Amino acid sequence: WIMQCKNNVNRGVFLKNTGCGLCNRKCRVDRDNGEKGFCGETSEIRCGRAALHMWEEPCISGTRGSGTVFFTGCVLKCVFCQNSVLAESKVGKPVTVSRLAEIFLELQNKGAHNINLVTPTHFVPSIRESIILSKKNGLTLPIVYNTGSYESVETIKSLEGLVDIYLPDLKYVSSELSKKYSKVPDYFEVARKAIGEMVRQTGTPEFDDDGIMKKGVIVRHLLFPGCLSDSKNVIKYLYDTYRDDIFISIMNQYTPMQGIGDKYPELNRKVRKKE
């Protein structure tokens, strides 16, 4: 793994003597020695689920499913999260680097179109090792990096040549909204730089004969109730910046989770048809 990283001038983000800086919170805690970052995790990989997943974008899930691995913990902790039991580290089992590589191969054997890494940011160094090991042992599927986008550019750079498809969120342009709902006022500045690196790596999107994505970037945006103006700003930014070099997935399935109306009454409804 060190040899694989030797040309990465930004590898210092992973060094023990600097502490963790994988996401932009830059906790700088020693996760290798059991300290937990804002993500709620040490450096030991933990997974909540690994299975064929049929509910991603059609060009990701296809007809056979996306080989999806859900990682425990999250660097954002959004108030509207639908996977809060995972994001808050309430579930999940430890997985070694070699076992994760085996899981990738098992999903390939089940017919998955790709390997889909969900919320992987805080485990990137170990995930890199698993990808490299699984490729040595016969993995041929595209790797999908499925993220909330609040990570350092250096983290994304470390994945060059290993990730084929990036599936990032761009949740907000407004710093007021990102601070209120995801506790990060600098979300847009961080996410746009990370997405820029993703696009640089993958270039023009490519698909196979069945319409399954082989390479490229799909930026997701989830519409929130009452936030239509910011959603328009998100879409305008993406189109003005990337034109047809990316795909945009606009999602209207926002569902208010139990109790959200107590603190955020404006989020206690679904997105209206007009929105």
Side-chain angles (χ1 to χ4, degrees):
W1 173 61
I2 291 173
M3 292 301 292
Q4 293 286 338
C5 286
K6 68 179 181 179
N7 293 322
N8 179 9
V9 296
N10 295 295
R11 187 174 174 270
V13 72
F14 304 135
L15 296 179
K16 293 182 180 180
N17 62 352
T18 61
C20 187
L22 291 167
C23 83
N24 211 62
R25 295 190 187 274
K26 300 190 188 307
C27 297
R28 299 301 181 195
V29 300
D30 188 355
R31 294 174 60 220
D32 283 342
N33 284 317
E35 293 184 19
K36 294 182 179 180
F38 184 91
C39 60
E41 297 294 316
T42 68
S43 63
E44 181 182 43
I45 307 170
R46 289 208 304 150
C47 298
R49 185 172 188 263
L52 296 177
H53 189 52
M54 300 301 299
W55 299 280
E56 303 287 32
E57 284 73 7
C59 61
I60 300 294
S61 286
T63 57
R64 302 195 304 270
S66 178
T68 306
V69 180
F70 292 87
F71 294 96
T72 300
C74 184
V75 304
L76 282 175
K77 305 289 194 297
C78 302
V79 300
F80 48 82
C81 183
Q82 291 182 306
N83 290 321
S84 59
V85 292
L86 276 173
E88 296 173 6
S89 301
K90 294 177 180 178
V91 299
K93 294 182 179 181
V95 177
T96 63
V97 165
S98 59
R99 176 59 188 137
L100 184 59
E102 290 174 353
I103 289 171
F104 295 162
L105 292 168
E106 289 166 6
L107 290 168
Q108 177 172 266
N109 292 337
K110 289 180 179 180
H113 290 290
N114 45 60
I115 300 299
N116 187 350
L117 311 170
V118 180
T119 322
T121 307
H122 46 295
F123 295 127
V124 159
S126 298
I127 289 172
R128 288 186 81 264
E129 294 184 68
S130 296
I131 294 173
I132 292 167
L133 180 58
S134 62
K135 286 179 178 290
K136 286 180 179 178
N137 292 327
L139 184 72
T140 59
L141 297 179
I143 301 293
V144 180
Y145 188 85
N146 188 335
T147 176
S149 303
Y150 194 69
E151 51 226 305
S152 69
V153 171
E154 288 80 6
T155 298
I156 302 301
K157 284 183 176 180
S158 76
L159 295 164
E160 186 164 10
L162 295 176
V163 169
D164 305 280
I165 299 164
Y166 284 99
L167 195 57
D169 293 334
L170 189 57
K171 300 177 185 292
Y172 325 90
V173 167
S174 165
S175 59
E176 181 181 351
L177 291 178
S178 65
K179 180 180 180 180
K180 185 175 184 180
Y181 298 142
S182 295
K183 316 305 180 191
V184 279
D186 61 344
Y187 174 84
F188 176 68
E189 285 302 311
V190 173
R192 73 175 183 84
K193 291 175 183 177
I195 291 170
E197 173 60 20
M198 297 173 193
V199 177
R200 184 198 68 79
Q201 286 184 23
T202 58
T204 305
E206 295 180 6
F207 299 81
D208 67 16
D209 293 339
D210 296 320
I212 303 300
M213 198 173 212
K214 296 166 54 181
K215 181 172 77 77
V217 174
I218 302 174
V219 182
R220 289 172 160 174
H221 176 67
L222 177 66
L223 279 77
F224 301 108
C227 298
L228 183 59
S229 177
D230 193 60
S231 290
K232 289 180 178 180
N233 288 335
V234 168
I235 303 306
K236 184 179 189 304
Y237 167 77
L238 290 171
Y239 184 67
D240 287 349
T241 304
Y242 299 111
R243 298 287 167 171
D244 294 330
D245 289 337
I246 65 169
F247 281 78
I248 302 174
S249 178
I250 305 174
M251 304 183 293
N252 69 346
Q253 69 262 37
Y254 171 79
T255 302
M257 303 305 289
Q258 185 176 3
I260 196 168
D262 297 339
K263 290 186 177 180
Y264 306 97
E266 72 277 14
L267 294 182
N268 198 28
R269 66 170 175 85
K270 292 188 175 183
V271 174
R272 298 188 179 108
K273 184 177 180 180
K274 183 177 180 181
E275 290 171 315

